Amino acid sequence: MSDCIFCKIANGEIKSETVYEDDTVRAFRDLSPQAPEHILIVPKEHIANIAEFNSEDGELAAHIFTEVIPKLARDLNIAGKGFRLVINTGEDGGQTVNHLHVHLLGGRKMTWPPG
Ligand code: DGP
């Protein structure tokens, strides 16, 4: 999508501090980190949010959750102590960038409930 900032980051048009990339996904450091490790995992294909997911996205979802995230957690050395995944969705969910992204937060103790 031409006016989507995360499309531009995902396809390399805008530089980011990338920690992982493959054919379908890019993971990069959040501009405004909320934890010592704060990574955004973004599909290269424009999908607005998780409410737009359908059965055709099953392979992508499985790739993100069973391969990319566990690898990032190991590489960032937070797999053992733990981390938090957040997917803000839509207005009430606090989503500010309308391109699906998973927040991976770690390196500190998280609190609950979130704000
Ligand atoms: P959300 O509120 O869930 O839509 O999160 C959007 C996140 O994206 C927020 O934590 C800030 C981050 N962000 C916004 N613009 C940029 C950018 O241009 N580069 C990077 N690295 N992160 C961005």
Side-chain angles (χ1 to χ4, degrees):
M1 218 177 144
S2 61
D3 60 346
C4 171
I5 183 94
F6 280 5
C7 279
K8 290 180 179 165
I9 291 175
N11 71 26
E13 205 179 315
I14 291 179
K15 289 264 171 290
S16 65
E17 210 178 318
T18 294
V19 293
Y20 175 86
E21 184 187 6
D22 62 32
D23 288 348
T24 56
V25 169
R26 185 186 292 268
F28 52 93
R29 292 198 177 275
D30 195 292
L31 201 60
S32 174
Q34 303 300 311
E37 304 290 356
H38 187 169
I39 307 297
L40 300 173
I41 299 114
V42 171
K44 291 191 171 178
E45 175 193 354
H46 184 84
I47 299 169
N49 61 45
I50 204 158
E52 301 287 311
F53 252 175
N54 59 50
S55 55
E56 286 172 17
D57 299 312
E59 203 174 312
L60 173 66
H63 177 53
I64 290 173
F65 285 97
T66 68
E67 294 173 329
V68 177
I69 289 170
K71 175 179 166 42
L72 281 169
R74 287 193 301 272
D75 291 353
L76 297 167
N77 221 12
I78 55 175
K81 285 203 88 175
F83 54 88
R84 179 169 290 173
L85 301 175
V86 175
I87 308 176
N88 295 325
T89 304
E91 192 183 340
D92 279 4
Q95 184 176 10
T96 59
V97 178
N98 290 319
H99 180 128
L100 175 65
H101 49 283
V102 182
H103 295 257
L104 168 61
L105 300 130
R108 69 165 169 85
K109 196 157 183 69
M110 303 294 159
T111 57
W112 192 266

